[in-house]
């Protein structure tokens, strides 16, 4: 090989060696912190045992649809939901804990000691999965069963999941006292679709 060829090859060999050396010594790209943020989000929001919220619930059942005001009080395992609907539907109140549950209808009929899902289906024609919604409404999967799918957003918050036959989608979060909590979400299964818009969260650590 003449000197001219060698002169042309040397820069190419140098570039190749530098490239290979760079590949060998470059540190692996660290994984996104989304998973770490999600773990922190679960620990933080999962620690909320006492809270209140107020907002709206829209119910779409096949061809029928209506909306109502929603108020929710949670104190550890004790809860109370009040659904105030217009157009003569009146107010429905659900109270319960791990031991018992009570459904009071707009006409003051009271049903107790059955599964809340069963009582709502029999007396209202639709249901809220209350036991799971206690977690879903905070942006958490229900620990009572394994979700089929979980989607986490770029900020490490729950964007959606499929659990126990329900599809849950989170459209918006709000920060209250340092806690990222949902402010708009959808819960649906088969012909039933529930849209929840939360106007106000009251948290014990929020001023």
């Amino acid at each position: 090989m003449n000197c001219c060829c060698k002169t042309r090859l040397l820069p190419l060999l140098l570039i190749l060696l530098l490239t290979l050396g760079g590949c060998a010594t470059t540190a692996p790209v660290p994984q996104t912190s989304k998973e770490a943020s999600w773990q922190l989000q679960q620990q933080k929001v999962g620690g909320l045992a006492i809270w209140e919220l107020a907002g709206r619930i829209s119910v779409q059942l096949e061809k029928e649809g209506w909306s109502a005001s929603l108020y929710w009080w949670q104190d550890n395992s004790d809860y109370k939901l009040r659904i105030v609907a217009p157009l003569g539907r009146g107010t429905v109140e659900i109270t319960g804990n791990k031991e018992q549950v009570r459904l009071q209808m707009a006409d003051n009929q009271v049903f107790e000691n059955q599964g809340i899902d069963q009582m709502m289906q029999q007396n209202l024609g639709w249901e809220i999965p209350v036991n799971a919604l206690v977690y879903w409404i905070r942006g958490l999967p229900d620990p009572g069963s394994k979700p089929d799918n979980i989607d986490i957003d770029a900020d490490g918050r729950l964007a959606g999941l499929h659990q126990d036959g329900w599809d849950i989608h989170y459209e918006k979060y709000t920060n209250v006292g340092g806690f990222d909590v949902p402010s708009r979400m959808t819960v649906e299964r088969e012909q039933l679709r529930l849209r929840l818009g939360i106007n106000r969260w009251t948290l014990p650590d929020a001023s």
Side-chain angles (χ1 to χ4, degrees):
M1 184 178 294
N2 57 41
C3 294
C4 182
C5 292
K6 290 181 179 179
T7 302
R8 288 197 298 266
L9 285 174
L10 282 175
L12 295 175
L13 289 172
L14 182 60
I15 293 171
L16 179 60
L17 288 172
L18 288 174
T19 303
L20 292 174
C23 293
T25 59
T26 301
V29 178
Q31 289 186 345
T32 176
S33 61
K34 185 169 68 172
E35 291 81 2
S37 298
W38 168 232
Q39 292 298 324
L40 182 61
Q41 171 75 356
Q42 291 182 86
Q43 293 172 10
K44 192 171 184 178
V45 180
L48 290 173
I50 301 173
W51 42 268
E52 300 176 12
L53 64 82
R56 300 284 296 176
I57 178 171
S58 297
V59 180
Q60 184 69 44
L61 181 61
E62 295 181 341
K63 296 182 179 180
E64 180 185 10
W66 54 274
S67 62
S69 297
L70 173 66
Y71 304 92
W72 190 326
W73 296 265
Q74 188 79 27
D75 186 348
N76 292 288
S77 63
D78 295 325
Y79 60 81
K80 178 168 70 173
L81 283 77
R82 183 175 294 158
I83 302 170
V84 184
L87 303 176
R89 291 181 179 271
T91 299
V92 173
E93 189 168 281
I94 303 166
T95 56
N97 51 41
K98 294 179 180 179
E99 283 73 39
Q100 60 183 3
V101 64
R102 180 177 185 269
L103 172 64
Q104 180 172 325
M105 302 290 292
D107 59 2
N108 292 323
Q109 288 189 80
V110 174
F111 303 90
E112 294 181 305
N113 298 327
Q114 300 180 54
I116 183 59
D117 297 354
Q118 179 184 356
M119 284 195 293
M120 292 187 69
Q121 188 64 49
Q122 289 179 348
N123 296 285
L124 299 176
W126 59 279
E127 65 185 75
I128 298 177
V130 176
N131 294 327
L133 196 59
V134 170
Y135 297 93
W136 295 343
I137 207 162
R138 286 177 287 161
L140 299 169
D142 178 7
S145 65
K146 184 178 180 180
D148 296 323
N149 183 55
I150 290 183
D151 183 23
I152 307 302
D153 68 16
D155 295 314
R157 304 171 305 196
L158 191 60
L161 78 159
H162 181 81
Q163 189 170 31
D164 294 332
W166 293 87
D167 285 304
I168 303 94
H169 303 280
Y170 296 87
E171 301 168 21
K172 188 177 180 180
Y173 280 81
T174 188
N175 188 278
V176 180
F179 294 88
D180 280 345
V181 286
S183 57
R184 193 161 64 237
M185 58 185 290
T186 302
V187 180
E188 55 188 320
R189 183 178 70 180
E190 297 175 352
Q191 302 299 318
L192 175 63
R193 185 178 189 184
L194 308 173
R195 291 183 59 85
L196 301 168
I198 303 167
N199 302 322
R200 175 175 52 84
W201 279 92
T202 303
L203 307 178
D205 295 332
S207 57

